[in-house]
Amino acid sequence: AVDETALRVGRLALGATLVAMFIGLLVLTLAAVGIAHSFFAQLSERRHELGVLRAVGARRRDLVAIVLLEASLVGAAGGIAGVAVAHLTFAVARGALGRVAHSLPLDVGKLVLLPPWGYVIAVLAAVLAATIGALWPAWRAAHEPIADTLSEG
């Protein structure tokens, strides 16, 4: 009976993990779309600056690299902030479970736990989402005609 219960709890935990991963992937996709929208708006305001860079010799790929570097830094900052919030949330959840489940034969410390590599993957996923989200706006900004961008300033 105990083994059967443990098996059921394990299956339930796996199911919950898969649902959480799917929701995380969905949130990451929406974040990439939001980042693309944000970078389109930001780059439309910086058209003149990018045109000046092109006029003084910057290549299109240099502009793309600058924008993608900015997006990667924003993604890294967001990923680190997200990991910090997740870590605090896990700590609170472990504490709450410890108070509720003190009579159960469970190691509550292992129940709500993200391994260290999970934090690294989360930050890398945020950087990747930000970079992918900025690809199209960066390419569009780099391929604007120089004369059009300079005439706006």
Side-chain angles (χ1 to χ4, degrees), residues 42-56 58-59 62-64 66-67 70 137-138 140-142 144 146 149-150:
Q42 177 196 26
L43 293 175
S44 70
E45 293 176 8
R46 293 175 52 195
R47 284 184 69 191
H48 184 74
E49 173 191 338
L50 297 172
V52 169
L53 288 172
R54 288 277 322 278
V56 297
R59 297 169 295 196
D62 296 331
L63 296 183
V64 170
I66 289 169
V67 171
E70 289 174 8
R140 289 264 322 256
E144 288 279 332
I146 296 174
T149 59
L150 292 178

Side-chain angles (χ1 to χ4, degrees), residues 21-129:
M21 288 173 65
F22 175 75
I23 291 170
L25 185 61
L26 185 63
V27 168
L28 203 56
T29 302
L30 292 173
V33 170
I35 289 166
H37 183 277
S38 171
F39 268 86
F40 269 122
Q42 177 196 26
L43 293 175
S44 70
E45 293 176 8
R46 293 175 52 195
R47 284 184 69 191
H48 184 74
E49 173 191 338
L50 297 172
V52 169
L53 288 172
R54 288 277 322 278
V56 297
R59 297 169 295 196
R60 286 186 169 108
R61 69 176 172 223
D62 296 331
L63 296 183
V64 170
I66 289 169
V67 171
L68 293 182
L69 177 63
E70 289 174 8
S72 297
L73 293 173
V74 167
I80 290 168
V83 161
V85 169
H87 188 72
L88 289 173
T89 302
F90 289 152
V92 169
R94 274 194 303 274
L97 283 173
R99 285 189 297 277
V100 172
H102 58 79
S103 63
L104 297 174
L106 296 172
D107 183 2
V108 175
K110 291 183 180 178
L111 229 105
V112 180
L113 181 68
L114 186 64
W117 55 264
Y119 293 116
V120 173
I121 288 174
V123 172
L124 291 176
V127 170
L128 184 64

